[in-house]
Amino acid sequence: MHPGVNCISFTGGDTGIAISKKAGMIPLQMELGGKDACIVLEDADLDLVAANIIKGGFSYSGQRCTAVKVVLVMESVADVLVEKVKAKVAKLTVGAPEDDCDITPVVSESSANFIEGLVKDAKEKGATFCQEYKRDGNLIWPLLLDNVRPDMRIAWEEPFGPVLPVIRINSIEEGIHHCNASNFGLQGCVFTKDVNKAILISDAMETGTVQINSAPARGPDHFPFQGLKDSGIGSQGVTNSINMMTKIKSTVINLPTPSYTMG
């Protein structure tokens, strides 16, 4: 709010929304939270999907804005996919970062408490726990929650930790609807061998970026990186960031000669 500030670029979450409300006419570039959806169709390569769910959902202990935050899988292939993901979760190592473990403590006790609140809500409302919930201080063991329903907090809120909900869907439209009903719109992904369906679903998803047959990712620095709704304002990336931090000014030269007139 200082008069000397003429541009704000911020990466974070709710704090970014608070900043934007106070910024007035100051140009903003905000990269905030996400609830990145992974839509899985019947014809998807489920081994590829499982590998990307592990990479997308549990790398950095899920503490990525572009992490897979909810899996929306067609009912007909859900059982097989869940079993494949469970087998991979069982192989993840848990412990201290200096031991090069796959899952390490989340950033703070308050973050761990928030994640635990989401887990307890899901348990009370009947989600299926694919692993036993386990926590030691800030360290939370990876957890896959199956049969999650829209009335559970974990279906909508961003845990920013190693807890991943699976929602079973019966149509593509149901998956798109859940994705677009979120107040976030950073990234998403769709797994299918049908490129036509992939493009149509990508067009329908209200997110800044859609990955086809791969987990969401920031991408190279020159790629545009943007979110919709509460996920942000503007677009990052080398060129886009320079343009955002540049003001356009036009100078028009009117030559001192008589102008032509009609008639």
Side-chain angles (χ1 to χ4, degrees):
M1 296 173 69
H2 190 280
V5 175
N6 57 18
C7 178
I8 299 173
S9 180
F10 182 83
T11 298
D14 292 342
T15 300
I17 296 175
I19 291 172
S20 68
K21 290 178 179 178
K22 297 179 180 180
M25 295 296 289
I26 298 173
L28 299 175
Q29 183 184 62
M30 296 282 172
E31 196 278 284
L32 308 177
K35 187 66 177 177
D36 302 10
C38 173
I39 299 178
V40 184
L41 304 193
E42 296 100 332
D43 67 338
D45 180 337
L46 297 184
D47 289 320
L48 176 68
V49 177
N52 276 273
I53 286 175
I54 293 297
K55 178 180 72 172
F58 295 102
S59 60
Y60 300 96
S61 301
Q63 298 177 114
R64 295 166 52 239
C65 56
T66 56
V68 172
K69 304 281 175 52
V70 58
V71 178
L72 303 164
V73 56
M74 296 295 284
E75 179 70 56
S76 60
V77 295
D79 286 344
V80 176
L81 178 62
V82 167
E83 288 302 316
K84 288 180 180 293
V85 175
K86 282 173 59 177
K88 290 183 178 295
V89 168
K91 296 179 181 179
L92 295 175
T93 57
V94 181
E98 55 266 31
D99 295 330
D100 199 27
C101 292
D102 299 314
I103 304 296
T104 57
V106 296
V107 67
S108 67
E109 183 179 0
S110 62
S111 178
N113 290 339
F114 175 76
I115 295 168
E116 185 166 295
L118 297 179
V119 172
K120 287 182 176 179
D121 176 78
K123 185 174 184 178
E124 291 171 359
K125 294 175 180 175
T128 301
F129 281 53
C130 297
Q131 298 82 24
E132 179 186 1
Y133 174 66
K134 187 176 179 182
R135 174 185 173 185
D136 182 7
N138 292 6
L139 181 61
I140 295 177
W141 271 248
L143 178 62
L144 186 71
L145 296 174
D146 193 9
N147 296 302
V148 168
R149 299 189 315 272
D151 64 329
M152 300 177 187
R153 290 175 56 199
I154 191 69
W156 305 104
E157 298 181 41
E158 180 183 25
F160 219 67
V163 178
L164 182 62
V166 175
I167 297 177
R168 296 171 178 237
I169 58 176
N170 294 299
S171 69
I172 293 173
E173 290 77 14
E174 186 180 346
I176 293 171
H177 173 75
H178 185 92
C179 172
N180 293 349
S182 172
N183 62 311
F184 293 113
L186 186 59
Q187 290 206 6
C189 59
V190 54
F191 286 85
T192 176
K193 296 174 184 175
D194 188 328
V195 67
N196 292 322
K197 287 183 179 178
I199 296 299
L200 289 171
I201 294 170
S202 173
D203 286 345
M205 294 174 72
E206 296 173 357
T207 60
T209 301
V210 177
Q211 295 274 351
I212 296 173
N213 292 323
S214 181
R218 167 64 181 86
D221 286 340
H222 65 278
F223 270 34
F225 184 50
Q226 59 279 316
L228 307 179
K229 297 181 279 190
D230 285 355
S231 286
I233 301 172
S235 179
Q236 294 182 351
V238 176
T239 302
N240 290 350
S241 293
I242 291 174
N243 288 337
M244 180 264 174
M245 299 177 186
T246 302
K247 292 185 177 179
I248 296 175
K249 180 177 181 179
S250 299
T251 299
V252 180
I253 300 175
N254 295 278
L255 297 177
T257 57
S259 61
Y260 291 99
T261 59
M262 299 295 290

